[in-house]
Structures are given as C-alpha cells and as structure tokens.
Amino acid sequence: RQSLLFSATMPFKIRELAKKILHQPIEVNIAISKPPEKIIQKAYVVYDSQKIPLVKYLLTEKKHKSVLVFCSTKENVKDLNKDLRKSGFSVDAIHSDLEQSVRENVLRKFKNKDLNILVATDILSRGIDIEDIELVINFDVPHDGEDYVHRIGRTARAESEGAAFTLINEKEQQKFLKIEELLGKIV
C-alpha cells in the first residue's frame, strides 16, 4: 500500500504528524510563488492606535468598489467591522465564529457587489475566486510569506490591477522583514 498526502500548505504540526505515522516519507516542496507584478504594494509602520484611523483614511482617499481587509484574529475582525460600520461604511465580516450559512451569505453579498468592504481572517485568504478586488489591506502582518502571497493574491487577478497595503506595528516589524527577505523585495 502506498499513502500520498498532498497539501497547498503544510503547517509544522501536520508535517511532524506525517513523519510519525508515515513509513519513510518523502517530502516534495515547491518554491513559494511570488505575487503578481501588477500589484502595487505599500507598507505603513504605525502604532496600534493608528491602524483603524489609517484604514478609514485609505478607504475614503479613493472610492474602491471592492476591498478585502485581512486581520490575524477574529477579535480584530469583529472590532474593525464594528468600527467601520459605525462610520457608515458598507462592510461585513467573515471569521470562524460564524455559521457556514452566514459566511456564505456575506460572501455572496460581497461577490455581487451589494457589499464593498469585507473584513476577514485568513479563512478567506485561499480558495476564493472573486474578481475585481481592487484593494487588499493587511490590518495585521500575516504569519509568514506564504500567507502574505495568498492574501494579496486576492487582487490583481486575471490581468487586472490592484493594490495591497500592509499596516505594521512595532511588534510586527521583524515578521514583515522576513516576508520581504523571502520575497526578495522591499515593500
């Protein structure tokens, strides 16, 4: 019998589990893909207290039809969604505390352009195909370069243009430096 395990990502814990349960496993890795060249990437070094006001500014500076904002925690998703909604933005959120039917409904509204801003955890960074997302904002720096590429890859699809802005606090600067080194590009 031969067992094969395929995954687009292989978190450390899963890799360790596979080594324990598989007999003489062989691992094949493919290099991390690079983000499309058409994505305009910018980074802002800010204090945590400046993040929400900066997001509001970025959303009003230019009228975007479709914006995806990624947060690393569901608490940040909930807080940002609440604050943006209070400020009058057409926004909703997707995170793991929501029932699947609610997530699907929110995603459908975003796809149909009934909603132009979606705040989400990495639950939406992979496997969704929504065209014409003009702007991706990383409210929090992703955990690694692969997550960064997947997040910002939601924009500039099918030869369209897009922008990706990352907000970096003091604690996240080292993490973002590693992402830049991995990508071979200073944002």
Side-chain angles (χ1 to χ4, degrees), residues 11 24 28 30-31 34 38 45 49 62 74 80 85 88 94 102 139 146-147 164 167 182:
Q24 296 179 338
V28 177
I30 299 172
K34 304 280 186 198
K38 289 193 174 211
V45 179
S49 62
K62 180 183 175 198
K74 55 189 167 190
L80 181 59
R85 193 173 279 182
I94 290 184
V102 174
F139 187 80
E146 193 172 320
D147 289 341
L167 312 185
L182 183 69

Side-chain angles (χ1 to χ4, degrees), residues 138-149:
N138 288 310
F139 187 80
D140 302 306
V141 173
H143 298 294
D144 57 39
E146 193 172 320
D147 289 341
Y148 179 81
V149 170

Side-chain angles (χ1 to χ4, degrees), residues 91-156:
V91 62
D92 212 332
I94 290 184
H95 51 79
S96 62
D97 281 352
L98 300 173
E99 294 291 326
Q100 183 64 28
S101 60
V102 174
R103 288 186 224 166
E104 289 171 1
N105 186 41
V106 171
L107 194 55
R108 188 173 19 269
K109 289 191 320 191
F110 186 64
K111 263 184 153 173
N112 295 337
K113 309 292 187 230
D114 297 330
L115 176 69
N116 68 323
I117 303 166
L118 183 57
V119 183
T121 57
D122 282 327
I123 201 167
L124 274 194
S125 68
R126 302 161 196 257
I128 62 157
D129 187 26
I130 299 174
E131 294 180 16
D132 303 326
I133 295 176
E134 298 174 332
L135 175 62
V136 170
I137 299 174
N138 288 310
F139 187 80
D140 302 306
V141 173
H143 298 294
D144 57 39
E146 193 172 320
D147 289 341
Y148 179 81
V149 170
H150 282 285
R151 282 182 179 188
I152 72 169
R154 302 301 100 204
T155 188

Side-chain angles (χ1 to χ4, degrees), residues 17-84:
L17 177 64
K19 286 178 183 175
K20 285 180 185 174
I21 63 174
L22 297 174
H23 178 68
Q24 296 179 338
I26 297 172
E27 188 174 324
V28 177
N29 292 309
I30 299 172
I32 186 171
S33 60
K34 304 280 186 198
E37 290 296 322
K38 289 193 174 211
I39 299 176
I40 297 165
Q41 298 177 61
K42 292 183 181 179
Y44 298 90
V45 179
V46 295
Y47 293 107
D48 282 332
S49 62
Q50 296 171 311
K51 283 188 173 186
I52 291 177
L54 180 55
V55 168
K56 289 178 184 177
Y57 171 77
L58 293 170
L59 294 173
T60 56
E61 177 190 36
K62 180 183 175 198
K63 187 72 176 152
H64 297 283
K65 293 177 190 148
S66 189
V67 180
L68 190 50
V69 183
F70 285 105
C71 299
S72 293
T73 66
K74 55 189 167 190
E75 289 77 21
N76 283 355
V77 168
K78 291 173 185 178
D79 292 344
L80 181 59
N81 179 49
K82 183 179 172 185
D83 205 306
L84 291 177

